[in-house]
Amino acid sequence: RLARRVCVGAGGAVATLGGSPMAPAEVAVRDGATGKWRTVKRSSPTTVDKGYLSAPRVIEFPSKGGRTSFLYYYAPQNKDVTPVEGELPPLLVKSHGGPTSATSAAYNLRIQYFTSRGFAVADVNYGGSTGYGREYRQRLDGQWGVVDVEDCAAAADYLVAQGMVDGGRTAIDGGSAGGFTTLACLAFTDSFRAGTSFYGVASLEALAGDTHKFESRYLDSLVGPYPETQALYKERAPIENLDGISCPICLFQGLEDKIVPPNQAQMMYDALNAKNIPVALEMFEGEQHGFRKSDNIRRVLDGELDFYAQIFGFQPQGLPD
């Protein structure tokens, strides 16, 4: 189990906030006298049969320039389905936001949504992610759009080479900064056959001039000072490098997003449409940077699955009419 916070009180009582890959986070207290634990509050009342949950395992994989990086690998898992003998699963690579945050092995039903429907999922902690030491975290300094892209592509290539997934059915998704990495992977690598961006960055120049105050100079350390390094901003921006994109892309965006404004998704959609590259865009009223409404969250999950079903040629189960 994963303990995120621990507090020690009078009499030796210990309170912790923690969880596991197979159960949602909860607040639990250990009695100082008896040593027994009791759950005070669970983050979710929902219980999912473990026969539908995939347990992640950590994989360290080689990347470009002799680097090694890390991912959590989730194999397909559904107790009601028998895999077709000899058939490898499609792969969904997930690129976390931040970009200098990290993903974890915590309970994640959005990942389990896909693994229970036949996908293998690789949740990547690319170079620049926190939790692996200072040198690892600093790999992204001045290299956003390079190291993250190389590592996510290397993750897919490694799993294909290991015979764990179907190299003809590889997809990538990500939100915010992860959406930028997703779009950049599609623009600068050949590792994926489809991608989905949630409120992702398409133009670095537009982001530098039109984001919220708190992160207004964030790109100075991730890319370089603007406008002094304008050439780098163009060089790494997916919208400036559409010639490298040849596969279908799906875009989801909140109309009230102040961090990555809706014009980013609209610009990407219009540019791809003009080049006759298959693209879909859905905007959501009342949503900001990250979807909050349960109906919209479900619509996005179902929409992403249906998008891959059309690209990879399978019949999805359980989608609404």
Side-chain angles (χ1 to χ4, degrees), residues 6-16 29-32:
V6 178
C7 298
V8 181
V14 176
T16 182
V29 175
R30 178 183 181 273
D31 187 281

Side-chain angles (χ1 to χ4, degrees), residues 139-151:
R139 288 184 186 181
L140 210 59
D141 290 358
Q143 295 297 309
W144 190 36
V146 179
V147 168
D148 51 318
V149 171
E150 291 173 350
D151 285 1

Side-chain angles (χ1 to χ4, degrees), residues 24-26 41-47 107 109:
E26 62 181 34
K41 183 70 174 179
R42 288 169 57 93
S43 61
S44 172
T46 304
T47 300
Y107 190 66
L109 290 181

Side-chain angles (χ1 to χ4, degrees), residues 32-308:
T34 66
K36 293 183 178 179
W37 287 92
R38 63 182 178 87
T39 297
V40 177
K41 183 70 174 179
R42 288 169 57 93
S43 61
S44 172
T46 304
T47 300
V48 178
D49 188 314
K50 287 183 171 54
Y52 301 110
L53 297 178
S54 175
R57 65 185 178 96
V58 176
I59 293 179
E60 183 175 355
F61 63 94
S63 188
K64 197 168 182 179
R67 301 191 308 268
T68 59
S69 296
F70 300 89
L71 63 84
Y72 293 103
Y73 177 76
Y74 298 79
Q77 174 62 39
N78 188 317
K79 69 175 187 177
D80 299 329
V81 177
T82 301
V84 177
E85 186 175 353
E87 181 177 306
L88 294 172
L91 171 68
L92 176 59
V93 168
K94 300 191 78 68
S95 173
H96 66 73
T100 55
S101 59
T103 189
S104 76
Y107 190 66
N108 189 329
L109 290 181
R110 299 187 190 194
I111 287 177
Q112 303 294 347
Y113 176 95
F114 284 97
T115 56
S116 64
R117 288 159 174 78
F119 276 75
V121 174
D123 203 6
V124 180
N125 271 326
Y126 48 77
S129 304
T130 59
Y132 298 89
R134 179 176 297 179
E135 183 279 329
Y136 197 85
R137 164 52 202 91
Q138 291 178 339
R139 288 184 186 181
L140 210 59
D141 290 358
Q143 295 297 309
W144 190 36
V146 179
V147 168
D148 51 318
V149 171
E150 291 173 350
D151 285 1
C152 285
D157 295 344
Y158 175 81
L159 294 174
V160 170
Q162 294 299 305
M164 299 168 66
V165 299
D166 184 350
R169 296 187 294 170
T170 54
I172 182 170
D173 77 9
S176 189
F180 166 75
T181 301
T182 291
L183 295 173
C185 277
L186 301 179
F188 300 117
T189 80
D190 297 318
S191 298
F192 302 99
R193 304 295 173 263
T196 301
S197 170
F198 313 101
Y199 37 91
V201 177
S203 168
L204 291 174
E205 287 189 278
L207 182 67
D210 192 23
T211 191
H212 61 141
K213 183 177 180 180
F214 181 71
E215 291 187 335
S216 61
R217 308 304 302 182
Y218 194 19
L219 297 184
D220 286 11
S221 63
L222 292 171
V223 182
Y226 186 84
E228 294 87 339
T229 57
Q230 183 182 31
L232 271 181
Y233 280 66
K234 290 183 177 294
E235 181 181 313
R236 298 181 190 174
I239 201 165
E240 304 280 358
N241 294 276
L242 296 179
D243 288 344
I245 299 177
S246 59
C247 67
I249 294 176
C250 190
L251 307 166
F252 294 104
Q253 176 72 44
L255 283 171
E256 297 182 10
D257 194 334
K258 303 299 184 186
I259 297 175
V260 179
N263 65 329
Q264 292 264 349
Q266 190 66 57
M267 285 190 300
M268 194 69 185
Y269 175 80
D270 292 343
L272 291 170
N273 228 3
K275 294 183 71 68
N276 295 316
I277 296 171
V279 59
L281 168 63
E282 185 163 5
M283 300 278 204
F284 290 86
E285 293 278 357
E287 291 287 9
Q288 301 179 32
H289 196 64
F291 303 127
R292 303 291 189 269
K293 299 176 182 178
S294 58
D295 288 348
N296 290 341
I297 292 171
R298 180 59 194 262
R299 181 172 177 82
V300 167
L301 284 168
D302 289 342
E304 184 178 5
L305 177 65
D306 188 52
F307 170 66
Y308 297 144

